[in-house]
Amino acid sequence: MGHMHHFSAGWISPVLAYAMACVGSALGLRCTVRALTAEGRSRRNWLLTASVAIGSGIWTMHFIAMLGFGVTGSPIRYDVPLTLVSLLVAVLVVGAGVFTVGYSPARLRSLLLGGLGTGLGVAAMHYLGMSALRLHGKVDYDPGLVALSVGIAVAAATAALWAALRVRGATGAAIASLVMGLAVSSMHYTGMAAVRLELTPSRAPLPGATAMEFIFPLAVALGSFLFLTVAFVALSPTARERAESASADSLREAELPTSA
């Protein structure tokens, strides 16, 4: 069994990974709240943004954390196409859960189904991303810890969607995002604790790209997208603010003197 290091880069990787999970969760929850007060194309666009935010935030969290993952006795490479598929799966499956909540009139049922779908999407992204790992040996898992990690993912996703439906105000949203980020990080490290390695010493070159060649640049790009989108959403007026602005404009127009 190979000796694994989950914090080979120090505490910078888990702290930064947690921060990205919080940013993606905060943005996704905010967009979901906006969607619930919108109609038609606007609701769809907010839900799409929420899906991309949560999916890419979770994916970025996972692979930033993986920058601190190392194995004694073998280099590590990543299968590029499979890694990109894991990102797509995260966005699509999380999107299915978010749209379920956004369009279903049965709130409790949609919350449970959406949380289940979103949580399974998080778990699928994690283990699909792990299947992209290339090293000299075999990767296996402890079934009990795998089941626990999936349970954490489903519980975290359900709690996040509940927060999107119930929590109002900046303070509540911030607390919900911090809790969601903690839950996502816990799911990741529980899944990593389930890993069991059987190394096969070899000097043969491994296929794929190193983390710094591929994972790090993509994580930086997605992180920049999330922060820019956070700024855009924060500056965008809410439906209530637009209604108040339209009402104020109507009052001003009514007060203007009419020309003879």
Side-chain angles (χ1 to χ4, degrees), residues 46-59:
W46 281 119
L47 291 174
L48 284 173
T49 305
S51 304
V52 174
I54 297 175
S56 60
I58 292 170
W59 186 94

Side-chain angles (χ1 to χ4, degrees), residues 113-232:
L113 289 176
L116 178 63
T118 304
L120 292 177
V122 172
M125 179 281 303
H126 175 88
Y127 290 105
L128 187 58
M130 288 299 295
S131 70
L133 202 66
R134 299 290 178 263
L135 46 75
H136 293 306
K138 178 184 176 183
V139 179
D140 204 353
Y141 297 94
D142 180 292
L145 288 175
V146 169
L148 178 59
S149 71
V150 175
I152 292 173
V154 172
T158 304
L161 294 175
W162 175 87
L165 294 173
R166 299 292 183 183
V167 173
R168 295 293 181 268
T171 302
I175 292 173
S177 302
L178 293 175
V179 172
M180 177 64 176
L182 180 61
V184 170
S185 298
S186 299
M187 180 271 159
H188 171 84
Y189 286 107
T190 302
M192 294 307 295
V195 173
R196 301 291 182 266
L197 295 180
E198 292 183 14
L199 293 184
T200 305
S202 173
R203 294 186 178 181
L206 288 168
T210 66
M212 295 306 293
E213 289 172 344
F214 172 63
I215 301 297
F216 182 73
L218 185 56
V220 169
L222 288 175
S224 300
F225 161 76
L226 288 174
F227 279 106
L228 290 173
T229 309
V230 165
F232 170 76

